[in-house]
Amino acid sequence: MPELPEVQTTVNILNKKIKNLSILDVWTDYDSVFHKNKENIKDKIYFKFFRQQLLNKKILFVERRAKNVLINVSGNPNQKQSGKTILVHMKMTGKLLYGKYEFIVPYGRSPEGMNNKKWFPVNDVYLSDPFNRFIHLVFNLSDGKHLVLSDTRKFAKVFLFDTDKISDLKDLNKLGPEPLDKGFTYKIFKKRLLMKPNGKIKTVLMDQEIISGIGNIYSDEVLWYSCISPIKKVKEINDRELKNLFKNVKKILELSISVGGDSMSDYRNPFGKKGGYQDLHKVYRKAGTKCVFHGCHGTIKRIIVGGRSTHYCDQHQN
């Protein structure tokens, strides 16, 4: 699942490419019985509303909250209509891509029937990456290009809400503070973690109601850098260790953003390209390899913590 650096990378690029463009049309092939009568574009009736609300609306700016992409669009002052926000949670395998696409019948298939048509990028080697071919949502934009959602497993969540009612939104209003905000101090960090003193630090770091945006990759990485075992209880971590952890949370998240996020799995940026943080891993998915922490002679191990695969060194992380 894309974590804070991947979502922020997506937002940064989209702000450069789609800000101030208008949405001319919206298409989807999502259609799920499970989501019937839910406020989600996977319900066909809701999608009609979603599309109608967005036609000819201007994209004002894009932002991130935790692991959510928020695309803010204009309202209609003549009808006293407030601005709207599209929420996209990419879940396990989703990615937002930007470029020129065409809706055509795949080569070698029968041209009979609209159901045979698929979306394909036009002459773009990166958007043509096999990881990017599962197009289930398309925004036609006023620059002649498209914003599309590729969602291999169809887990992504997309819906619309009134921008001025963001504080009432249950998907967002229980989220913890953002770790890269200027106002996120060590004092706040410690207070948030101590909300679950008996929790294992790995699990607590990943709890989105405690701190937003940290998932499996970066919890493993920051704990390795901080010499803290993922199974250590929060209350057992002293101030020196906590301060080091606080510093490393910010450092590693910022480092990953600087190299475009992590593409060890499905993530690709809006141009269809991989990020670079997977080349900088010290511990994540390195089970069985020698630990490279200075002066350590341990071997990276894989265990399960809170139902999630966890990678750590049992020599210098204690």
Side-chain angles (χ1 to χ4, degrees):
M1 179 185 293
E3 301 180 32
L4 187 157
E6 292 75 55
V7 181
Q8 189 62 54
T9 297
T10 293
V11 166
N12 291 346
I13 293 173
L14 292 183
N15 265 321
K16 293 177 181 178
K17 303 307 294 186
I18 70 172
K19 187 176 178 180
N20 295 321
L21 297 179
S22 294
I23 299 171
L24 304 184
D25 203 357
V26 191
W27 171 95
T28 192
D29 66 352
Y30 282 123
D31 183 10
S32 170
V33 174
F34 177 76
H35 288 90
K36 189 174 182 179
N37 299 322
K38 295 182 180 179
E39 292 189 351
N40 187 309
I41 64 166
K42 295 174 185 177
D43 174 67
K44 294 181 74 171
I45 294 175
Y46 181 83
F47 176 73
K48 289 180 180 179
F49 161 80
F50 178 88
R51 176 179 176 273
Q52 187 273 330
Q53 291 290 306
L54 293 174
L55 291 179
N56 301 312
K57 295 299 190 297
K58 183 179 178 181
I59 297 170
L60 303 177
F61 62 95
V62 187
E63 59 186 325
R64 180 190 59 77
R65 181 67 175 102
K67 301 176 185 179
N68 301 281
V69 176
L70 304 177
I71 304 173
N72 297 285
V73 303
S74 61
N76 190 333
N78 294 329
Q79 299 177 6
K80 296 183 179 180
Q81 183 186 66
S82 65
K84 304 287 183 180
T85 298
I86 306 164
L87 183 147
V88 181
H89 194 305
M90 298 183 280
K91 300 292 183 179
M92 294 294 293
T93 57
K95 58 191 74 70
L96 287 165
L97 305 169
Y98 168 81
K100 179 67 176 175
Y101 283 78
E102 56 184 359
F103 194 46
I104 59 175
V105 176
Y107 178 76
R109 296 191 183 181
S110 168
E112 297 177 3
M114 288 293 289
N115 291 334
N116 288 322
K117 287 191 173 184
K118 303 288 183 183
W119 289 94
F120 291 92
V122 178
N123 301 322
D124 192 305
V125 64
Y126 292 108
L127 292 177
S128 297
D129 182 326
F131 278 92
N132 299 333
R133 70 183 187 273
F134 303 95
I135 308 300
H136 297 297
L137 176 66
V138 178
F139 296 90
N140 293 8
L141 304 175
S142 57
D143 65 348
K145 295 186 178 181
H146 304 83
L147 175 65
V148 309
L149 175 63
S150 175
D151 184 15
T152 309
R153 300 178 69 181
K154 294 187 177 181
F155 287 166
K157 184 176 186 178
V158 183
F159 65 92
L160 192 69
F161 65 92
D162 293 334
T163 305
D164 59 5
K165 294 182 180 178
I166 189 170
S167 61
D168 300 328
L169 201 66
K170 63 181 181 180
D171 292 74
L172 302 179
N173 60 19
K174 291 185 178 181
L175 291 170
E178 293 285 343
L180 294 184
D181 280 357
K182 291 182 179 180
F184 186 69
T185 63
Y186 170 68
K187 183 178 180 180
I188 294 173
F189 177 71
K190 181 179 179 180
K191 182 179 179 180
R192 301 298 296 182
L193 294 184
L194 285 172
M195 290 172 68
K196 294 193 173 181
N198 291 306
K200 295 174 181 176
I201 184 60
K202 157 92 173 186
T203 304
V204 177
L205 278 175
M206 292 177 61
D207 188 331
Q208 299 303 292
E209 293 187 12
I210 300 296
I211 300 171
S212 292
I214 301 173
N216 215 27
I217 297 172
Y218 300 104
S219 57
D220 279 359
E221 291 286 305
V222 299
L223 288 170
W224 182 90
Y225 275 97
S226 305
C227 306
I228 298 172
S229 168
I231 60 176
K232 195 169 188 176
K233 291 182 179 180
V234 171
K235 67 182 181 182
E236 297 171 345
I237 304 173
N238 62 42
D239 265 345
R240 178 186 59 79
E241 293 171 319
L242 275 181
K243 287 177 181 178
N244 195 32
L245 180 60
F246 172 71
K247 177 190 72 176
N248 285 322
V249 164
K250 289 181 175 285
K251 176 183 175 181
I252 301 309
L253 292 177
E254 288 172 347
L255 173 61
S256 185
I257 292 172
S258 74
V259 297
D262 192 295
S263 292
M264 173 66 81
S265 187
D266 294 67
Y267 177 73
R268 302 294 185 270
N269 73 23
F271 298 130
K273 298 180 180 180
K274 292 183 178 182
Y277 190 74
Q278 67 278 2
D279 299 325
L280 303 178
H281 286 180
K282 302 301 184 185
V283 64
Y284 182 71
R285 289 196 181 179
K286 285 189 169 291
T289 65
K290 292 182 178 179
C291 180
V292 296
F293 195 88
H294 181 69
C296 182
H297 301 288
T299 299
I300 303 302
K301 292 179 169 53
R302 177 184 175 274
I303 59 174
I304 302 298
V305 179
R308 303 299 299 274
S309 291
T310 300
H311 307 84
Y312 82 114
C313 172
D314 62 359
Q315 295 299 305
H316 83 271
Q317 288 181 254
N318 47 52

